[in-house]
Amino acid sequence: MSVFGQTELLSEKISILKEYDQNHLYRIALPLGGIGTGTVSLGGSGQLKDWEVMNVPAKGYSTVTTGNDAPFFAIYTRKKNERPNTKALLGPINPADYQHYEGRSVDHHGFPRFRNASFQASYPFGIVSLSDKTMPVNVKVVGYNPFIPADADASGIPMAILKYEVENTTNEDLEVSISGNIRNFIGKDGSKHTSDWKGDFIPIGAKDNKNEFRATEKFKGIYMYSEGVDINDSAWGTFAISSPNESDNQITYRTSSTKNDWYNSTLNFWDDFSADGLLTEKDKQYDIDPLASLAVKKSLKPGETKTFTFYLTWNFPNRYAWSTKKLKNFYSTQYVDAWDVIEKEIDRLPALTEKTLQFTNNLIASSYPEEIKESALFNLSTLRSQTVFRTEDGKMFGWEGVMDREGSCFGSCTHVWNYEQATPFLFNDLAKTMREVEFEYASDEHGHMGFRTELPLQKEASGIDLAAADGQMGTIMKFYRDWQLSGDSEFLKKHWPKIKTVLAYAWIENGWDGDVDGVMEGVQHNTMDVEYYGPNPQMQIWYLGALRAAEEMAKFMGDKSFAKKCKHLFEYGSEWTDANLFNGEYYVHKTQVPESKEAIAKGLVGEHRLKGLDLNDPYYQLKTGCLVDQLVGQYMAHVLGLGYLVKKENVKTALQSILKYNKRDGMYEHFNNMRSYAMGDEKALLMASWPNGGRPTIPFPYWSEVMTGFEYTAAIGMLYEGMEEEGLDNIKNIRDRYNGLKRNPFDEAECGHHYARAMASWAGVIAESEFQYSAIDKFIKFTDKPGKYFWSTGSAWGMFEIVQNGSDYEIGLEVLHGKLELKTLQLGNHKPHKFKGEHFMDEGQKIELNY
């Protein structure tokens, strides 16, 4: 409890993982919103930025032309018998933004601001601290949206929650009012715009928009709708700003301001609010996008802190994504409109908030190194970005990432989404929908899987005409993972025939492994957006992993002949890989071209590239290069508990070579003809190097780049090989680049913002705890290293604690959400502990035993 018997402040209940001082706020934008709902981001200085609630990316978009009209919150304070103070709830403007051709370089450039600001984060919570010598208060802005692993719907509410915690720093009573202000921007998603003689970006699309004040027993607010925007437009929908009714609240409002000539609507609001902290309703709504304002006023005793709560809710049902037809967002099937969101959820929010705190605080309290916790937790924000959406039937889809105004690379790209581990281990039900799409829709009757999936879905017809070797093999490993985590054997039985067909596609004539010997000699399109000709470690080890996963599934299905075939191919292919691709330091690419273009199976090379192909010297090859990603299939096999796919000693040697040859302690001397994701004195792992010479004149396109998803894969591989210091150092180097000043900590980019591959970072949690779980075998495994470890299966999560006493261990396993069924528990390489019969654990239960 805090002073005056007030309930503990939310900011005091959040375990803080990362702090950013005033010099590291410039790029911070923490997405607030649910999975598949779009977001608005909380900036490092308290601003609301990147308004991406309308089904499209909108980086840098604030619903209006840059200026004082953008959405904002303001605070009014007044001591008795003294003049009031009014400021925007914003920190100072960064000096880099001072210059502009018309003196409005940033939103709210003309508002009084707080002089001091800092930011704290434990995703999904962001806390902005504001103070100023001229103000009688300190303010903390807490922004978040519920995030509860294994509960996708509770984590998918279209809402941003903002709690302004105001502390009276004086020894006198204080009147305080906070107002939220936003123009009705329905119809304006930023994709449609015009310009004027100045060259300004002027978003358009609003038409006959209306604001309506509403009040219920539990909350009051302003509901925004439109009578003129086309109901089929992706920017059509509703929005609301509201605040709960509380005994000490005085809520006032305005559904409009004056006509906005020369920005007079903002002036009119400011004068009204600054007079007494109360708002006076207008008798007429002006402008096609009228300004809505909602104010909450309270009295604070000396030293007292009170919370002013605001909810931003929305419902924009129409999503076109990469579809030619209108799709409906899943979240829009749960709510009628934006007002319905808060009506349905306001009673649940305290419990959802506590559950979110339980997840975040337990992960932070774990013994994982800080860099693992930061990289794993902060990249979960990608699941809430416009990278991800859910269609009406609940299925999850993803771009690779998003550009400022467009999605990046449609179709839940298999070879990109292969890397990430956050979705399956936190929301297994969503991961399973992606597998359903891959095998039921993207794969044809012959096993050809288009590595991107068109929408709307059509069975065995939604894939594009090009298959990716790494993407296709990876989906088989992912299916095994998601089956094991879920324990859903009916899911496997349903898709088993297609899984076999998809793997067997590697064996077609002139295919990836046309001679069916366990080695991919054929032409292999892959995640480098080119084709490799001949055996190479990246595709080959994915293939070996797919064979192992398929063997295990075949055994379960009683398909002995297929299991035997997979085992035979794996054993030969594994031995061949070590004997022929390992050069003593790392695995290399053996170029092998077909006799003719006609000797390439259809669907393995894009038609446009096939026309320009020179078989005497194909472009974009790796050859003798040391590839950062050469062991990605082994990384996946470790996560899945499938063991080594190639020789253990060679794996560690190859990782040591990646460190030796690909690591850079600075980029000043590095030449890169492509995109730069590391610059200056930043440390990183290059995509490839040629320490022994032999670099092709034109290598694969990204050879000189740095991309975090690939770096995570190598770094986590190091963790699995006992190279902890090296692995953690590489993860830390990534996060040092995303330090708030140079880059947004909640936006690891590759081909676009919020890139899906970066969610490979969750595997750091899995590797460090040595976590494995099989709902099929009722088996769970952890490290024997003493400590506390958060764990998650995708449908349940909790904490594991281990204390060592000599050669004995005292362990505690607690379920904080969901259920577990166990037969066996294992620590490290020790003998497994067998429970008597099946051991059922419900939420809130804990078992303790000596091991």
Side-chain angles (χ1 to χ4, degrees):
M1 301 289 286
S2 61
V3 292
F4 305 105
Q6 180 179 331
T7 303
E8 185 180 7
L9 299 168
L10 178 57
S11 65
E12 296 173 349
K13 300 168 73 172
I14 301 169
S15 297
I16 301 302
L17 179 60
K18 192 78 173 180
E19 300 190 23
Y20 302 87
D21 63 26
Q22 191 152 311
N23 295 321
H24 293 82
L25 305 180
Y26 191 61
R27 297 289 186 183
I28 290 176
L30 188 152
L32 304 176
I35 297 174
T37 70
T39 62
V40 57
S41 291
L42 178 64
S45 294
Q47 72 273 43
L48 296 177
K49 58 195 296 187
D50 300 343
W51 284 81
E52 301 176 283
V53 299
M54 292 184 176
N55 301 302
V56 293
K59 293 303 175 193
Y61 179 60
S62 60
T63 77
V64 296
T65 302
T66 300
N68 292 326
D69 263 355
F72 69 97
F73 282 78
I75 186 169
Y76 161 96
T77 65
R78 183 176 181 272
K79 296 180 188 177
K80 189 175 182 180
N81 299 322
E82 291 190 14
R83 294 184 62 182
N85 289 318
T86 306
K87 280 185 182 287
L89 283 158
L90 300 168
I93 296 173
N94 190 291
D97 283 331
Y98 275 30
Q99 183 170 343
H100 186 264
Y101 56 82
E102 205 189 34
R104 45 183 177 82
S105 54
V106 294
D107 292 327
H108 319 115
H109 51 84
F111 290 177
R113 291 170 171 249
F114 285 75
R115 286 174 170 81
N116 307 305
S118 61
F119 193 90
Q120 297 172 307
S122 296
Y123 187 81
F125 298 99
I127 304 174
V128 181
S129 296
L130 300 171
S131 65
D132 192 294
K133 62 185 179 182
T134 68
M135 293 294 287
V137 294
N138 291 331
V139 181
K140 286 188 175 180
V141 187
V142 184
Y144 71 102
N145 177 295
F147 189 97
I148 302 167
D151 192 339
D153 291 353
S155 305
I157 303 172
M159 171 187 289
I161 303 170
L162 297 167
K163 290 182 175 289
Y164 292 85
E165 299 175 353
V166 182
E167 176 193 7
N168 180 356
T169 59
T170 75
N171 56 6
E172 300 178 41
D173 288 351
L174 197 64
E175 289 182 358
V176 177
S177 183
I178 291 181
S179 176
N181 309 275
I182 181 170
R183 304 197 74 87
N184 185 330
F185 64 105
I186 292 166
K188 296 194 298 180
D189 61 10
S191 65
K192 300 180 287 292
H193 61 90
T194 185
S195 187
D196 58 14
W197 66 274
K198 305 170 190 174
D200 285 334
F201 172 88
I202 304 173
I204 58 175
K207 184 179 181 182
D208 202 14
N209 290 3
K210 306 291 184 182
N211 296 333
E212 175 186 314
F213 177 75
R214 293 183 175 184
T216 73
E217 182 181 341
K218 296 176 182 177
F219 63 97
K220 298 175 181 177
I222 299 175
Y223 174 71
M224 305 180 191
Y225 63 100
S226 176
E227 293 183 345
V229 175
D230 185 348
I231 62 172
N232 294 308
D233 196 296
S234 63
W236 175 83
T238 56
F239 190 90
I241 178 172
S242 59
S243 184
N245 290 331
E246 295 172 347
S247 59
D248 60 346
N249 269 8
Q250 183 179 5
I251 297 178
T252 56
Y253 65 93
R254 292 162 44 126
T255 58
S256 183
S257 186
T258 58
K259 190 170 175 56
N260 199 28
D261 295 336
W262 299 95
Y263 298 99
N264 278 327
S265 61
T266 304
L267 170 63
N268 183 260
F269 157 78
W270 198 267
D271 287 346
D272 184 11
F273 184 61
S274 298
D276 54 11
L278 303 173
L279 299 176
T280 304
E281 170 66 324
K282 294 290 183 181
D283 58 4
K284 182 180 179 181
Q285 292 190 18
Y286 294 92
D287 306 320
I288 59 172
D289 58 345
L291 177 65
S293 300
L294 186 72
V296 178
K297 190 173 184 180
K298 299 175 184 279
S299 296
L300 275 68
K301 294 182 173 69
E304 187 177 17
T305 301
K306 286 189 175 181
T307 300
F308 299 68
T309 300
F310 291 85
Y311 308 116
L312 305 180
T313 54
W314 57 87
N315 193 338
F316 295 95
N318 306 324
R319 182 178 290 275
Y320 289 87
W322 55 79
S323 173
T324 57
K325 296 183 179 180
K326 183 176 73 174
L327 306 171
K328 187 173 184 178
N329 284 315
F330 173 77
Y331 82 82
S332 295
T333 69
Q334 310 298 297
Y335 308 103
V336 175
D337 54 30
W339 194 258
D340 190 43
V341 175
I342 189 60
E343 278 193 318
K344 286 182 175 176
E345 301 297 350
I346 192 166
D347 289 337
R348 286 209 307 160
L349 287 179
L352 296 180
T353 300
E354 289 300 317
K355 202 69 176 177
T356 303
L357 285 166
Q358 189 179 37
F359 158 60
T360 303
N361 290 347
N362 274 282
L363 179 59
I364 292 171
S366 298
S367 300
Y368 300 112
E370 293 299 298
E371 48 268 63
I372 283 182
K373 288 187 279 194
E374 182 187 338
S375 61
L377 191 60
F378 286 17
N379 275 311
L380 296 182
S381 59
T382 296
L383 288 174
R384 323 264 235 153
S385 71
Q386 283 289 349
T387 296
V388 170
F389 62 94
R390 296 177 69 186
T391 50
E392 186 173 1
D393 58 7
K395 290 184 177 65
M396 175 173 150
F397 296 86
W399 300 89
E400 292 184 22
V402 293
M403 301 303 182
D404 284 359
R405 291 286 183 269
E406 301 284 344
S408 171
C409 305
F410 77 96
S412 303
C413 177
T414 57
H415 58 63
V416 169
W417 281 85
N418 273 354
Y419 289 70
E420 70 96 9
Q421 305 298 335
T423 307
F425 280 91
L426 295 178
F427 301 100
N428 188 252
D429 55 342
L430 295 184
K432 285 168 62 184
T433 69
M434 299 187 83
R435 305 295 80 78
E436 182 181 356
V437 169
E438 289 160 357
F439 286 91
E440 192 166 338
Y441 296 93
S443 305
D444 67 20
E445 59 182 341
H446 305 294
H448 178 283
M449 179 186 289
F451 71 89
R452 302 187 190 280
T453 307
E454 299 279 5
L455 286 171
L457 292 174
Q458 300 178 54
K459 288 195 175 183
E460 296 192 346
S462 287
I464 61 173
D465 293 333
L466 183 59
D470 51 352
Q472 188 151 330
M473 295 301 103
T475 61
I476 295 168
M477 297 186 78
K478 289 187 295 187
F479 198 103
Y480 173 79
R481 175 196 61 199
D482 299 344
W483 166 59
Q484 286 284 319
L485 286 173
S486 68
D488 187 352
S489 294
E490 292 305 313
F491 182 60
L492 174 60
K493 292 174 184 177
K494 176 183 177 181
H495 295 286
W496 176 240
K498 187 59 73 66
I499 294 170
K500 292 175 62 177
T501 305
V502 165
L503 179 57
Y505 183 77
W507 308 329
I508 65 171
E509 185 179 1
N510 296 323
W512 297 321
D513 183 14
D515 58 0
V516 196
D517 64 351
V519 180
M520 279 195 169
E521 302 96 349
V523 180
Q524 302 147 57
H525 185 79
N526 62 81
T527 197
M528 302 307 175
D529 297 322
V530 295
E531 290 77 38
Y532 284 167
Y533 291 81
N536 62 88
Q538 191 177 26
M539 261 50 68
Q540 175 62 17
I541 299 179
W542 270 123
Y543 180 34
L544 295 175
L547 290 168
R548 279 287 296 115
E551 179 191 353
E552 294 300 320
M553 289 186 283
K555 288 178 182 176
F556 181 86
M557 293 297 298
D559 195 337
K560 295 180 180 179
S561 61
F562 198 77
K564 183 178 180 180
K565 182 173 186 176
C566 290
K567 186 174 189 292
H568 169 73
L569 292 177
F570 167 77
E571 289 176 345
Y572 181 86
S574 177
E575 183 177 346
W576 188 97
T577 302
D578 282 313
N580 292 274
L581 298 187
F582 191 70
N583 69 359
E585 291 187 290
Y586 56 89
Y587 292 91
V588 297
H589 170 201
K590 299 286 189 183
T591 307
Q592 183 175 324
V593 296
E595 294 180 359
S596 65
K597 294 180 183 180
E598 290 70 30
I600 302 174
K602 185 178 180 181
L604 301 189
V605 181
E607 291 297 325
H608 66 289
R609 190 165 291 151
L610 191 61
K611 291 179 181 178
L613 174 62
D614 179 1
L615 288 177
N616 294 316
D617 184 21
Y619 287 161
Y620 311 128
Q621 302 303 289
L622 173 64
K623 296 189 176 181
T624 60
C626 180
L627 183 67
V628 70
D629 202 36
Q630 61 189 271
L631 294 168
V632 57
Q634 183 61 68
Y635 146 90
M636 188 68 161
H638 280 324
V639 171
L640 274 55
L642 288 174
Y644 281 91
L645 305 179
V646 288
K647 287 183 179 178
K648 178 178 180 179
E649 58 269 27
N650 290 353
V651 170
K652 187 167 186 177
T653 299
L655 289 167
Q656 290 170 333
S657 297
I658 291 170
L659 272 177
K660 180 178 179 180
Y661 298 127
N662 293 34
K663 186 179 179 184
R664 296 294 181 270
D665 289 329
M667 309 303 287
Y668 280 106
E669 278 66 53
H670 177 64
F671 171 80
N672 174 18
N673 60 303
M674 284 284 287
R675 308 165 300 186
S676 291
Y677 299 110
M679 294 178 278
D681 60 1
E682 294 178 327
K683 300 177 181 180
L685 288 177
L686 299 181
M687 290 294 290
S689 64
W690 282 265
N692 302 314
R695 197 207 82 187
T697 303
I698 302 180
F700 70 91
Y702 312 122
W703 66 278
S704 59
E705 293 186 356
V706 167
M707 292 182 273
T708 69
F710 296 103
E711 290 179 280
Y712 283 127
T713 302
I716 291 163
M718 294 172 198
L719 297 181
Y720 275 114
E721 298 309 316
M723 301 166 62
E724 177 138 339
E725 181 179 349
E726 297 90 337
L728 293 179
D729 181 62
N730 281 287
I731 296 173
K732 182 179 184 300
N733 290 341
I734 296 170
R735 293 308 302 174
D736 283 348
R737 304 200 298 265
Y738 288 82
N739 69 350
L741 172 62
K742 296 182 288 187
R743 299 177 186 84
N744 181 9
F746 310 98
D747 177 9
E748 290 193 15
E750 190 180 311
C751 185
H753 302 281
H754 309 293
Y755 204 76
R757 197 185 329 253
M759 289 189 289
S761 56
W762 187 262
V765 170
I766 302 167
E768 191 71 11
S769 60
E770 298 180 29
F771 179 74
Q772 289 178 20
Y773 176 70
S774 169
I776 300 297
D777 298 326
K778 312 295 190 294
F779 168 85
I780 198 165
K781 179 185 176 183
F782 295 96
T783 179
D784 62 3
K785 184 167 61 176
K788 298 178 180 179
Y789 301 94
F790 175 87
W791 56 268
S792 179
T793 68
S795 57
W797 49 271
M799 290 293 286
F800 178 78
E801 184 173 7
I802 177 170
V803 177
Q804 186 171 8
N805 293 312
S807 59
D808 297 327
Y809 298 92
E810 296 177 3
I811 64 173
L813 176 62
E814 185 176 14
V815 176
L816 298 174
H817 183 90
K819 297 181 179 181
L820 273 185
E821 296 180 38
L822 295 178
K823 290 182 179 179
T824 309
L825 184 151
Q826 184 174 2
L827 291 185
N829 295 319
H830 300 279
K831 183 179 179 181
H833 172 84
K834 302 281 188 180
F835 293 99
K836 294 181 179 179
E838 291 188 15
H839 195 88
F840 295 87
M841 296 183 67
D842 289 323
E843 183 172 319
Q845 288 189 324
K846 183 177 182 179
I847 58 173
E848 296 178 341
L849 55 90
N850 294 320
Y851 192 97

